[in-house]
Amino acid sequence: MAKKGESEGGKKGGTDSWRRDPKRQSGEHRAPKPDAEPTQEESTRSGKSNRTPKPEGRPSSEAHHRPARPSGEHAVGSDSFTRRRKSTFRGIPVVPGIAIGHARIKFRRTQVLADREIQLEDVVKEEERLAEAVRLSKVQLLESRAKVAKEVGEVEAMIFDAHIAILEDQVFLRKVRNQVAKELKPVEVVVATTVEGYYRTISQIQDIHLRERAADIRDVGRRLLDNLEKLTNPVERASAEIDLDSDEIICAHELLPSDLVALEHRRSQAILCELGSDRGHAAIMLRAMGITSVMGVVGLIENVQDGDLIIVDGSSGVVYLNPKKDVVDSYRKTQKEFDNYKRVLSAEVELPAITTDGHAVELLANVSKHAEIDLAKRYNVDGVGLYRSEFHLMVSSTYPDEEEQYWIYREAVERMGGKPVTLRTMDIGSDKKLPYIKMSDEDSHVLGRRSIRLMGELEEYQLIQLRAMLRASAHGPMKLMFPFITSLEDIRLGKRLVRAARRELEERGAKFDPDIQIGMMVEVPAAALSLDKYVREVSFFSVGTNDLTQYVCAADRNHPEVAPWFKGHNPGMLWLMRHIVETAKANNTELTVCGEMAGDPFYTMFLLGIGANRLSMSAPQVPLVKKIVRSVNLTGAQNLARRALQLTSTGQIRELFATTVQQILGRDLSSWSIGDGDSAGGGALVPK
């Protein structure tokens, strides 16, 4: 049976059916389903759409002759290739965008070494080789760290600190030396088996954040093995430069942070990887680089050959291998339209965000790292409305000390060149964990302990962060904000810790802004409904629309089965947003809306209509939101907001918003997807 928003044949319906699709606003409805263009194999079946990928490693027995390269067209393979290959894959979207190019398989797995024995008198020599390989590896890691810090950002460069820490782990090195002496095996064999043992053990841990550290172990092990081999065969193992064509799409089994340093990402279209997720170190670096990427593409390497034509839809995670010409033409058209429209929007980046009747709107950026601050500056934002401080805490192998955090926050403030920066204290728990702090499964629940609720147990960590943030306030306009406030006791606890941190800094004679503003996130209904009780406690509010929506709608935003109920345009959610804005205005308290709603053009008119004039979003979303602001008048926005609040169903509200945006922009946005403005990597307006 066809799903909502699809015709009987499994293809997309028109604009109206798209608007009726309950998954549109949940973030699921991002691209044509992989079987929207039926493959040759599907056409031989009963005609029913099958969305479940076949098990990997079981190629179809049907003969499939790949067409010869047409004149002037992209190659799709060799005529002699007869094994039926999978043509559509679905992975985990990491960096949005569309890429069309030719496959280039790169980066091997950890070496499989031949086993042999050594003589007892060779043990000392093997230990010396290990020591030299460790030394070379540390030098390389320091060079890689410096390169990433310069080209990407200091926070991203901290990934390599974890690798250096592994190389300096005396337990690991002692185990290798003992095994060499005990088993009389070459050091590279012992390193390989030890690293793989650690890798398998960590990979089986339930905690996804700890599992991501397995890639770090393997990366360090591979580097050691490379250097051990170079010490044995220095000429044969001389490193070769990566030679890429401008349209190549890198395909790999596993992508490690060191691979990304070696990769000249500016010359490749996209990166695909069989292993990995959107949370690992490689994904973090890819987002900072801004290269279209999909990870977790199962069966990729066994199906792809160098030179294959590939389409990568980074917003949905769908990958097409050697697609038919009409699919390629469709994606090229969408890609071209998107690029052209981006240029139009970018041309207006320096223009002010003012409605046609003269009402100014502040557009700010949500950021997690310094690379995103640089991007935000290119979009001429009015400041940073949300700096997520937990990011650099999550990529470190240990909790960063006060000095390290101070320099990170100071650099963030200084990079904005006098524009305000709002730092949010660490929002950990739920789906954001620190690898060096043991947390129970209960803390992973969206209704569990997180953020301010963990402050009692992590008070010393919080004081370190607060001292660092306060010191950074001496270097430019900065605000401080606490997340996940549910009661007055929560915000009073946070303010008590701020006072304690201030006293410590005063005793040391450290400089900070004595008048720094303290605010709170409004993301729990209990706080939103009683917002007038908080106006005497804080200087400003910031509405976290993603969390607020999931609690208002009782739908975990990370749970795909309840995605149809996660709707920012739910009548109850819209009413609550108006209540929040009106309460803040009545009490003359500054309010910012951040999250998906702030950066989604479908909500821009509504937010303007209820009086929200400070919107914080992922920087690439700014141009489109600014375009809408500059195209409407405040009276029209107020009329739309009144109509929306009178409607009784989410379907009617969605239809109203979609139609209005289409009329304003003169284009149908049903073929575009809006990225999540409050997610780890942010997002941009990207083709579906």
Side-chain angles (χ1 to χ4, degrees):
M1 182 174 68
K3 295 184 179 181
K4 286 187 178 182
E6 298 176 12
S7 63
E8 292 290 335
K11 294 187 179 181
K12 296 282 182 211
T15 300
D16 291 339
S17 63
W18 169 79
R19 292 173 184 148
R20 288 193 297 271
D21 190 338
K23 297 184 179 181
R24 165 61 186 87
Q25 297 297 336
S26 73
E28 279 193 354
H29 200 149
R30 294 193 180 277
K33 296 296 183 181
D35 54 356
E37 292 290 341
T39 63
Q40 181 178 346
E41 182 181 9
E42 288 168 342
S43 65
T44 62
R45 296 177 183 171
S46 62
K48 294 183 179 180
S49 176
N50 183 359
R51 299 188 182 279
T52 305
K54 293 189 306 179
E56 300 302 332
R58 297 183 184 177
S60 170
S61 59
E62 298 176 47
H64 175 59
H65 297 279
R66 301 169 68 202
R69 181 194 297 246
S71 175
E73 295 289 335
H74 290 287
V76 293
S78 167
D79 291 335
S80 61
F81 187 79
T82 57
R83 181 173 66 88
R84 175 65 176 174
R85 291 193 293 167
K86 189 176 177 181
S87 60
T88 304
F89 303 82
R90 183 180 288 277
I92 302 168
V94 173
V95 181
I98 283 185
I100 304 174
H102 292 95
R104 177 72 172 272
I105 301 176
K106 299 295 294 184
F107 308 123
R108 48 190 165 62
R109 309 184 190 198
T110 303
Q111 296 94 325
V112 178
L113 304 170
D115 200 358
R116 62 183 176 86
E117 291 189 359
I118 61 172
Q119 300 301 314
L120 185 61
E121 56 268 24
D122 293 331
V123 171
V124 174
K125 180 181 177 182
E126 293 299 300
E127 292 179 350
E128 292 173 349
R129 291 178 63 226
L130 174 63
E132 178 62 12
V134 169
R135 187 192 69 80
L136 287 174
S137 297
K138 289 176 68 174
V139 169
Q140 293 164 355
L141 285 170
L142 289 171
E143 291 175 350
S144 296
R145 191 192 192 288
K147 179 178 180 181
V148 171
K150 179 180 178 181
E151 298 183 1
V152 183
E154 176 62 28
V155 176
E156 292 78 11
M158 291 168 62
I159 289 170
F160 293 96
D161 294 339
H163 293 196
I164 294 172
I166 294 171
L167 281 175
E168 294 176 342
D169 186 347
Q170 293 303 312
V171 174
F172 167 68
L173 296 176
R174 192 182 310 116
K175 181 174 182 179
V176 173
R177 289 194 294 266
N178 290 343
Q179 288 295 102
V180 170
K182 179 181 178 180
E183 299 181 4
L184 295 179
K185 299 290 185 182
V187 66
E188 55 264 38
V189 172
V190 175
V191 167
T193 55
T194 303
V195 166
E196 286 304 298
Y198 282 148
Y199 180 84
R200 286 193 296 270
T201 300
I202 298 176
S203 297
Q204 294 172 359
I205 296 176
Q206 289 187 351
D207 190 317
I208 186 171
H209 299 280
L210 293 179
R211 287 205 309 270
E212 295 295 349
R213 298 300 178 266
D216 295 331
I217 295 287
R218 177 170 277 182
D219 200 350
V220 172
R222 195 178 71 181
R223 186 181 294 276
L224 275 174
L225 293 175
D226 284 344
N227 285 322
L228 286 167
E229 192 169 349
K230 288 176 184 177
L231 291 172
T232 305
N233 304 300
V235 177
E236 294 180 12
R237 290 294 300 161
S239 59
E241 293 294 326
I242 298 177
D243 182 23
L244 299 176
D245 292 334
S246 60
D247 77 333
E248 283 188 322
I249 292 174
I250 302 301
C251 302
H253 171 71
E254 182 176 28
L255 195 63
L256 304 176
S258 59
D259 296 329
L260 289 171
V261 175
L263 181 65
E264 183 59 50
H265 64 275
R266 297 177 187 88
R267 298 183 59 197
S268 57
Q269 289 280 314
I271 288 182
L272 302 175
C273 190
E274 283 192 319
L275 300 183
S277 72
D278 59 348
R279 301 173 184 268
H281 283 170
I284 291 168
M285 292 181 66
L286 284 168
R287 278 194 287 268
M289 292 174 174
I291 179 171
T292 301
S293 308
V294 178
M295 307 195 78
V297 187
V298 179
L300 175 71
I301 299 302
E302 70 177 79
N303 284 276
V304 172
Q305 293 182 346
D306 281 336
D308 280 340
L309 182 64
I310 292 180
I311 296 176
V312 180
D313 189 336
S315 61
S316 66
V318 176
V319 177
Y320 300 90
L321 175 61
N322 295 320
K324 294 185 294 184
K325 186 177 182 301
D326 56 346
V327 177
V328 175
D329 291 343
S330 175
Y331 265 93
R332 287 203 187 282
K333 180 180 178 182
T334 304
Q335 184 184 47
K336 184 177 180 180
E337 290 177 350
F338 177 51
D339 291 341
N340 289 339
Y341 199 53
K342 279 202 303 183
R343 282 192 287 271
V344 171
L345 295 176
S346 298
E348 301 179 0
V349 71
E350 298 297 330
L351 299 176
I354 300 177
T355 62
T356 57
D357 50 350
H359 292 270
V361 178
E362 289 187 62
L363 301 182
L364 306 103
N366 298 337
V367 303
S368 301
K369 52 187 98 63
H370 294 158
E372 292 177 357
I373 292 179
D374 293 339
L375 181 63
K377 290 170 65 177
R378 291 203 295 271
Y379 286 107
N380 194 32
V381 298
D382 296 310
V384 171
L386 171 62
Y387 184 102
R388 305 181 191 88
S389 66
E390 61 274 2
F391 175 82
H392 68 268
L393 305 180
M394 293 167 63
V395 301
S396 297
S397 57
T398 59
Y399 188 77
D401 61 22
E402 179 186 324
E403 196 68 16
E404 184 176 344
Q405 293 192 52
Y406 159 67
W407 280 102
I408 290 173
Y409 306 140
R410 173 179 172 173
E411 185 176 353
V413 171
E414 290 179 335
R415 285 194 181 202
M416 284 307 298
K419 292 182 178 180
V421 175
T422 301
L423 298 182
R424 184 179 70 185
T425 60
M426 54 183 176
D427 182 13
I428 61 173
S430 185
D431 59 340
K432 291 174 283 191
K433 293 186 179 181
L434 305 184
Y436 38 83
I437 296 179
K438 182 174 177 59
M439 300 177 70
S440 67
D441 292 339
E442 186 271 339
D443 294 328
S444 300
H445 198 279
V446 294
L447 295 177
R449 294 188 308 159
R450 54 177 285 197
S451 307
I452 201 82
R453 297 176 180 179
L454 293 169
M455 192 173 290
E457 296 177 30
L458 304 177
E459 183 170 317
E460 186 54 40
Y461 284 167
Q462 186 69 85
L463 283 170
I464 291 172
Q465 184 181 55
L466 287 173
R467 290 196 299 267
M469 287 181 168
L470 287 171
R471 289 172 60 192
S473 70
H475 300 279
M478 196 199 91
K479 303 176 185 178
L480 194 153
M481 177 168 63
F482 288 100
F484 210 66
I485 300 299
T486 305
S487 65
L488 286 171
E489 287 77 11
D490 288 341
I491 192 63
R492 288 168 180 168
L493 170 61
K495 291 172 66 178
R496 177 180 67 79
L497 292 180
V498 171
R499 291 193 296 270
R502 288 176 56 136
R503 285 194 298 269
E504 292 183 42
L505 294 179
E506 288 170 349
E507 291 172 0
R508 287 159 37 185
K511 295 181 179 180
F512 61 89
D513 178 7
D515 300 317
I516 187 171
Q517 294 185 32
I518 297 176
M520 59 176 272
M521 295 285 292
V522 182
E523 46 196 343
V524 178
L529 291 168
S530 59
L531 202 61
D532 58 320
K533 306 296 190 299
Y534 295 84
V535 295
R536 294 182 181 179
E537 299 289 340
V538 297
S539 300
F540 65 92
F541 299 119
S542 184
V543 186
T545 60
N546 292 355
D547 272 334
L548 186 60
T549 301
Q550 79 170 340
Y551 295 128
V552 168
C553 298
D556 184 348
R557 61 191 175 109
N558 294 315
H559 196 310
E561 295 300 320
V562 297
W565 287 272
F566 179 86
K567 295 175 180 177
H569 53 281
N570 181 288
M573 180 64 186
L574 297 186
W575 178 91
L576 188 57
M577 287 297 299
R578 182 183 63 174
H579 169 76
I580 293 170
V581 173
E582 290 181 345
T583 302
K585 283 186 175 296
N587 291 277
N588 198 29
T589 304
E590 179 186 283
L591 180 135
T592 302
V593 179
C594 65
E596 181 177 345
M597 189 175 287
D600 191 329
F602 285 87
Y603 293 104
T604 303
M605 281 277 284
F606 174 79
L607 293 174
L608 293 179
I610 61 174
N613 57 7
R614 286 175 55 88
L615 309 178
S616 189
M617 63 204 73
S618 178
Q621 294 171 302
V622 169
L624 186 56
V625 172
K626 180 182 287 188
K627 178 73 173 179
I628 294 176
V629 170
R630 290 180 53 82
S631 302
V632 303
N633 62 69
L634 189 60
T635 302
Q638 291 170 340
N639 290 336
L640 176 133
R642 279 195 293 269
R643 289 179 58 196
L645 290 165
Q646 292 171 353
L647 296 175
T648 57
S649 76
T650 56
Q652 292 173 329
I653 296 169
R654 184 190 305 111
E655 181 74 17
L656 172 64
F657 288 176
T659 302
T660 303
V661 172
Q662 182 176 338
Q663 291 172 347
I664 293 171
L665 298 178
R667 60 175 53 235
D668 178 13
L669 288 188
S670 63
S671 60
W672 305 75
S673 169
I674 307 302
D676 182 352
D678 195 23
S679 61
L685 181 67
V686 290
K688 278 172 48 177

